[in-house]
Amino acid sequence: KPFDVIYETDGLPSQDLPPPLERLYGGDLGLKSPRLYANFVSSLDGVVAIEGVDQSSQMISGNSRPDRFVMGLLRAFADAVLIGAATMRAAPDSLWTPGYIFPDCATDFSELRDRLGRDAEPRLVVLTSSGALDPRHPALEAGALVVTTEAGKAKLGTRLPPSSKVVAIGDAEDVDLTSVTSVLHGEGHEVVLTEGGPTVIGGLLRRRLLDELFLTVSPLLAGRSSTSGRPG
């Protein structure tokens, strides 16, 4: 069933979508370049992750097909998809590609990427301060850009598959997000989607680096707990 457009301001950028995507989305969609945009799902009371629950965002979204379609569509627009290491560890079998999250439209996503002049798949970019990544993760085996600290690079050593690239951007304990955006632009990635997690997106917001947010609100009350982290 197509989305219903409740309100849309005039003058937004637009890209003619392949007909099946336009029908499902309920219209066209476009992004300026350069652009750093986020996609997130939240409960009604603002919870975006639940500590101790694997892939808790799927629980919050109810594994909704419309939500997964939007995830695929937003990935299809991107030069690169930016995530934190915790997000990768929480999804040990995932690929951050359009067709992986919504395979029913994989061919249409590919057609959109052709129209946009994008590579066959968006490049995955993983942020890790410590270098604590599983080199056997299928997304790393498929090829990714890992941005880390000097200490993280030393820990990773030569453990990652040759298809992945490691870039260190300083001696600080944490990866500097402003420097990350410079690295992305240096790699030719002008239109970047971030899927978090909350630590990454929170850091981008604090530094005013995020241009646009696509937010799915789930009809779920998650509640807060004094004994476990539930970031919002």
Side-chain angles (χ1 to χ4, degrees):
K1 178 183 175 181
F3 286 87
D4 292 322
V5 179
I6 298 173
Y7 171 78
E8 185 170 83
T9 191
D10 294 330
L12 294 175
S14 64
Q15 167 71 42
D16 288 336
L17 301 176
L21 301 183
E22 183 178 10
R23 180 181 61 81
L24 286 173
Y25 192 65
D28 56 15
L29 175 67
L31 292 162
K32 295 179 180 179
S33 180
R35 207 70 170 166
L36 177 56
Y37 60 110
N39 183 31
F40 230 125
V41 62
S42 165
S43 68
L44 279 174
D45 52 345
V47 173
V48 299
I50 299 175
E51 188 178 76
V53 177
D54 290 339
Q55 301 190 51
S56 60
S57 62
Q58 289 190 17
M59 188 194 79
I60 293 171
S61 72
N63 207 22
S64 158
R65 276 181 58 82
D67 181 59
R68 296 201 312 275
F69 167 73
V70 171
M71 290 177 72
L73 182 60
L74 294 177
R75 289 177 183 181
F77 272 90
D79 293 318
V81 177
L82 174 68
I83 64 170
T87 297
M88 173 169 271
R89 288 191 292 269
D93 300 314
S94 290
L95 297 175
W96 281 265
T97 63
Y100 178 87
I101 197 65
F102 201 80
D104 289 356
C105 288
T107 301
D108 304 304
F109 292 146
S110 295
E111 181 182 342
L112 174 59
R113 294 189 66 79
D114 285 341
R115 293 185 183 188
L116 294 168
R118 303 280 192 260
D119 292 337
E121 300 289 5
R123 190 180 192 186
L124 180 65
V125 182
V126 186
L127 305 184
T128 171
S129 299
S130 66
L133 295 175
D134 181 357
R136 298 166 297 179
H137 195 293
L140 294 175
E141 292 178 347
L145 174 64
V146 177
V147 183
T148 186
T149 60
E150 291 292 347
K153 183 177 181 179
K155 180 173 181 176
L156 287 168
T158 59
R159 295 168 53 235
L160 293 185
S163 54
S164 287
K165 175 181 178 181
V166 179
V167 174
I169 55 172
D171 297 322
E173 291 185 3
D174 296 319
V175 175
D176 177 67
L177 291 174
T178 302
S179 298
V180 170
T181 60
S182 297
V183 169
L184 290 169
H185 292 160
E187 293 282 327
H189 305 318
E190 296 292 322
V191 181
V192 179
L193 166 66
T194 177
E195 294 185 2
T199 300
V200 172
I201 293 183
L204 293 170
L205 285 167
R206 281 192 297 276
R207 291 163 181 81
R208 298 181 179 271
L209 296 171
L210 195 67
D211 298 308
E212 199 161 345
L213 171 64
F214 291 81
L215 178 65
T216 296
V217 180
S218 169
L220 171 76
L221 289 171
R224 289 306 204 289
S225 169
S226 61
T227 58
S228 66
R230 294 193 174 183

